[in-house]
């Protein structure tokens, strides 16, 4: 059942314009971060690490939450339009599988976004003329950022399910990204889902040591909780009302 749901979701979005956001949005923090780095070479002396701090300052707070928000809002858009809830809720598959398929594809997008951010980071470093060795921690930063992004996707999918309009969940993602940075700065990062994205990527602090236990526990807890909330909502939803 899950495999059928995954294939159905793939058919829905593989030719969608949502891929344009996936490609374009990460370019902006790469450009802004590189310009900020080149404009402050007197203060930023750690080459690749300093460049990463500037890239993630923009991507983890603004552009990546927006990208995940756009994708998650789009995943529910077809169900919210043209009375598709009747077809969705009467399909011969469990609603849990339907929700899980959307979460899995959102997690894939979170991972692919991190890979694209990594590629842009390496290209930016070469353009900026960095000659030192590439940080060996880069793969870990990207993987942990993707894990933190999954919890953000679970939250965004739930609110995109509950809110029919496309724009409010995306705006919610932007506000969540800013709030996540503030929560991290005040020492509450592991308790807030959007902060996990910042912490996982070591945003603006690549030398920070990650506390794995609260990070993994919080990511798993938020992902499970909001996925269960989405399933619960759908099980109580009235198809005939749509």
């Amino acid at each position: 059942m899950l495999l059928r749901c995954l294939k159905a979701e793939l058919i829905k979005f593989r030719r969608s314009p949502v891929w344009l956001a996936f490609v374009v949005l990460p370019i902006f923090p790469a450009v802004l971060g590189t310009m900020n780095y080149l404009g402050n070479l007197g203060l930023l002396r750690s080459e690749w690490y300093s460049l990463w701090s500037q890239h993630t300052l923009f991507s983890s707070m603004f552009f990546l939450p927006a990208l995940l928000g756009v994708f998650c809002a789009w995943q529910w858009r077809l169900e919210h339009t043209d009375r598709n809830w009747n077809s969705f809720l009467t399909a011969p598959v469990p609603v849990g599988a339907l929700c899980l398929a959307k979460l899995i594809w959102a997690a894939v997008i979170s991972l692919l976004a991190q890979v694209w951010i990594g590629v842009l980071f390496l290209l930016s470093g070469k353009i900026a003329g960095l000659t030192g060795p590439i940080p060996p921690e880069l793969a870990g930063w990207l993987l942990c950022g993707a894990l933190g992004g999954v919890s953000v996707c679970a939250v965004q999918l739930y609110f995109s399910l509950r809110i029919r309009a496309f724009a409010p969940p995306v705006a919610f993602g932007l506000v969540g990204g800013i709030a996540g940075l503030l929560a991290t700065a005040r020492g509450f990062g592991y308790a807030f889902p959007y902060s996990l994205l910042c912490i996982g990527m070591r945003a603006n602090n690549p030398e920070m040591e990650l506390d794995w236990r609260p990070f993994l526990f919080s990511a798993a807890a938020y992902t499970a909780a909001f996925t269960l909330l989405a399933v619960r909502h759908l099980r109580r939803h009235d198809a005939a009302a749509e």
Side-chain angles (χ1 to χ4, degrees):
M1 289 294 184
L2 178 60
L3 183 59
R4 290 174 59 190
C5 294
L6 288 170
K7 289 181 178 179
E9 290 296 318
L10 178 60
I11 292 172
K12 286 162 59 176
F13 73 73
R14 66 182 178 182
R15 295 183 179 178
S16 167
V18 74
W19 289 105
L20 183 62
F22 168 80
V23 174
V24 172
L25 283 179
I27 295 177
F28 288 100
V31 173
L32 292 173
T34 303
M35 292 175 60
N36 201 45
Y37 170 75
L38 293 175
N40 295 276
L41 291 176
L43 298 174
L44 303 173
R45 300 178 179 273
S46 298
E47 294 198 339
W48 287 103
Y49 291 91
S50 295
L51 180 63
W52 179 256
S53 70
Q54 301 308 300
H55 274 220
T56 54
L57 177 64
F58 294 103
S59 62
S60 67
M61 184 168 62
F62 295 111
F63 295 97
L64 196 49
L67 171 61
L68 298 178
V70 167
F71 184 76
C72 292
W74 184 89
Q75 281 188 291
W76 287 112
R77 181 169 177 78
L78 293 180
E79 279 72 45
H80 286 318
T81 58
D82 298 328
R83 299 178 65 86
N84 282 336
W85 277 114
N86 287 322
S87 299
F88 184 86
L89 293 175
T90 56
V93 293
V95 293
L98 295 170
C99 289
L100 188 57
K102 291 182 183 293
L103 178 63
I104 289 174
W105 279 119
V108 170
I109 289 298
S110 178
L111 179 60
L112 291 177
Q114 291 291 336
V115 172
W116 180 223
I117 286 172
V119 171
L120 291 172
F121 170 67
L122 296 177
L123 290 175
S124 299
K126 295 302 181 182
I127 293 173
L130 301 183
T131 57
I134 297 171
E137 304 94 338
L138 178 60
W141 296 338
L142 298 175
L143 179 59
C144 291
L147 289 175
V150 174
S151 62
V152 173
C153 289
V155 176
Q156 288 292 140
L157 281 171
Y158 175 70
F159 284 106
S160 297
L161 167 64
R162 298 298 303 268
I163 303 172
R164 290 177 177 272
F166 184 85
V170 178
F172 186 85
L174 285 170
V175 173
I178 298 172
L181 189 64
L182 295 175
T184 302
R186 296 190 177 187
F188 301 106
Y190 291 104
F192 190 65
Y194 291 85
S195 297
L196 300 178
L197 187 58
C198 304
I199 293 173
M201 296 179 73
R202 318 303 200 277
N204 204 33
N205 187 9
E207 297 180 358
M208 181 185 73
E209 184 176 349
L210 184 66
D211 194 340
W212 284 98
R213 288 185 179 180
F215 177 78
L216 294 177
F217 175 80
S218 186
Y222 276 112
T223 301
F226 279 91
T227 302
L228 290 174
L229 285 173
V231 172
R232 180 175 179 269
H233 174 73
L234 286 176
R235 284 176 177 170
R236 296 187 174 189
H237 206 71
D238 185 6
E242 297 301 327

